[in-house]
């Protein structure tokens, strides 16, 4: 007789799928913000925006009702006042944006890869392959 | 709600803005020595006015060109009495186009265009990776 899978194990798996899904949404939002910065690299007076999706996810995980907080987590683009401003009032450093874009892209791909593996595991559990 | 293809629109707006800038710079360079335009005055340097595209429901929309402005600075005056556009003292007013400034702006614009292309390629990769989950 095989060992029974503990109920929490399965619940935990669906938990992580939700978390990974939200992380993908967050990374997608961050990509929007970073590409808006690149598009506005020559717009006078433009201040860069960024989405702190790690912070938003951490806050949701730390809250008392974790599931609800995670389901309702929102990723907002906030203006970033830090960094040097050019003569025309523009605060975009194009090299920094390109580096962040690449970093965020790889992070998104990593999350998507893990999520894909989770579904693979589920398929194995179901006996679909 | 930002559509599935939001990031493509943002990068496309950046590419369109940089392309317009390059077009205007090319016009400035082409007219760097045009001493008489349609209004009878020397050509005046043009610049593209860019602003952040207005957001709907706090969804980022990229950049938009609101117009093309004329540079009001006076042009350089040179003595050239044989020029048909010379005034009675023999001076010709050249356009206020500085070709070095234009070339630097052109390079900036070109690099900006490439940066937007890179951002769009990143978005494409991300979408493809997301679609891979289905496979």
């Amino acid at each position: 007789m095989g060992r029974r899978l503990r109920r929490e194990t399965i619940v935990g798996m669906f938990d992580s799928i939700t978390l990974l899904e939200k992380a993908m949404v967050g990374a997608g939002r961050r990509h929007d913000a970073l590409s808006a910065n690149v598009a506005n690299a020559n717009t006078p007076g433009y201040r860069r925006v960024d989405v702190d999706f790690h912070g938003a996810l951490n806050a949701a995980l730390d809250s008392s009702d974790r599931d609800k907080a995670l389901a309702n987590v929102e990723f907002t683009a906030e203006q970033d006042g830090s960094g040097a401003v050019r003569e025309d009032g523009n605060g975009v450093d194009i090299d920094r944006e390109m580096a962040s874009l690449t970093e965020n892209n790889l992070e998104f791909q990593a999350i998507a890869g893990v999520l894909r593996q989770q579904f693979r595991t589920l398929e194995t559990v179901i006996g679909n392959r | 709600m930002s559509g599935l293809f939001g990031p493509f629109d943002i990068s496309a707006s950046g590419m369109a803005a940089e392309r317009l800038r390059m077009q205007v710079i090319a016009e400035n360079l082409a007219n760097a020595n045009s001493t008489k335009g349609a209004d009878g005055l020397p050509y005046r340097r043009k610049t593209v006015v860019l602003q952040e595209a207005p957001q709907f429901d706090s969804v980022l929309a990229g950049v938009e060109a609101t117009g093309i402005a004329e540079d009001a600075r006076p042009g350089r005056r040179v003595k050239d009495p044989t020029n048909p556009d010379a005034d009675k003292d023999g001076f010709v007013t050249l356009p206020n186009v500085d070709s070095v400034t234009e070339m630097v702006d052109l390079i900036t614009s070109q690099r900006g265009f490439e940066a937007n292309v890179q951002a769009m390629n990143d978005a494409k990769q991300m979408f493809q990776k997301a679609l891979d989950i289905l496979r």
Side-chain angles (χ1 to χ4, degrees):
Chain A
M1 219 170 103
R3 266 178 59 208
R4 273 240 182 119
L5 204 56
R6 284 185 13 247
R7 192 176 161 270
E8 302 89 83
T9 316
I10 299 174
V11 172
M13 175 146 226
F14 284 110
D15 261 3
S16 68
I17 286 177
T18 313
L19 177 59
L20 290 167
E21 178 214 314
K22 291 292 177 190
M24 266 176 85
V25 173
R29 288 279 176 281
R30 179 150 197 248
H31 178 87
D32 285 2
L34 296 174
S35 41
N37 292 340
V38 173
N40 282 290
N42 291 312
T43 306
Y46 178 85
R47 303 308 304 265
R48 77 179 293 272
V49 290
D50 209 335
V51 176
D52 181 18
F53 74 94
H54 298 107
L57 287 175
N58 274 328
L61 291 178
D62 286 343
S63 76
S64 50
D65 191 353
R66 203 168 140 170
D67 292 346
K68 198 177 165 202
L70 202 54
N72 295 323
V73 69
E74 284 202 33
F75 307 104
T76 46
E78 310 238 346
Q79 261 195 16
D80 177 1
S82 70
V85 177
R86 276 194 332 229
E87 193 188 5
D88 62 359
N90 186 302
V92 176
D93 176 354
I94 193 76
D95 300 314
R96 189 176 147 202
E97 301 303 331
M98 297 319 282
S100 302
L101 263 177
T102 307
E103 176 206 324
N104 190 57
N105 180 13
L106 291 175
E107 189 166 359
F108 183 97
Q109 294 201 35
I111 299 165
V114 175
L115 190 53
R116 186 167 175 230
Q117 286 308 318
Q118 297 265 8
F119 282 123
R120 280 259 170 108
T121 309
L122 272 180
E123 278 176 8
T124 309
V125 171
I126 297 166
N128 207 13
R129 57 173 72 228
Chain B
M1 183 63 202
S2 92
L4 179 62
F5 299 107
F8 290 109
D9 290 340
I10 293 172
S11 296
S13 79
M15 283 156 76
E18 299 297 355
R19 185 185 292 277
L20 180 64
R21 261 174 29 112
M22 287 191 265
Q23 218 170 331
V24 168
I25 291 166
E27 176 152 321
N28 287 340
L29 283 170
N31 284 294
N33 292 305
S34 303
T35 48
K36 192 184 267 180
D39 56 359
L41 294 167
Y43 177 84
R44 275 179 304 275
R45 173 175 181 259
K46 292 179 176 61
T47 49
V48 176
V49 184
L50 295 177
Q51 73 164 41
E52 189 188 358
Q55 308 175 5
F56 292 103
D57 281 345
S58 70
V59 171
L60 298 166
V63 64
E64 70 180 8
T66 50
I68 293 172
E70 279 190 353
D71 190 336
R73 284 177 298 183
R76 200 158 48 94
R77 279 164 62 80
V78 290
K79 183 109 177 154
D80 183 8
T82 57
N83 192 310
D85 293 326
D87 61 14
K88 59 182 189 305
D89 302 322
F91 279 96
V92 180
T93 308
L94 292 174
N96 55 356
V97 176
D98 173 21
S99 49
V100 177
T101 309
E102 299 303 321
M103 289 312 289
V104 171
D105 283 354
L106 186 63
I107 295 168
T108 314
S109 204
Q110 194 189 346
R111 293 283 177 263
F113 188 91
E114 286 166 5
N116 280 292
V117 172
Q118 181 61 45
M120 194 180 257
N121 276 331
D122 277 350
K124 198 173 102 182
Q125 268 185 17
M126 286 162 68
F127 276 124
Q128 251 152 13
K129 199 74 186 177
L131 289 174
D132 278 352
I133 296 174
L134 295 174
R135 285 204 265 142

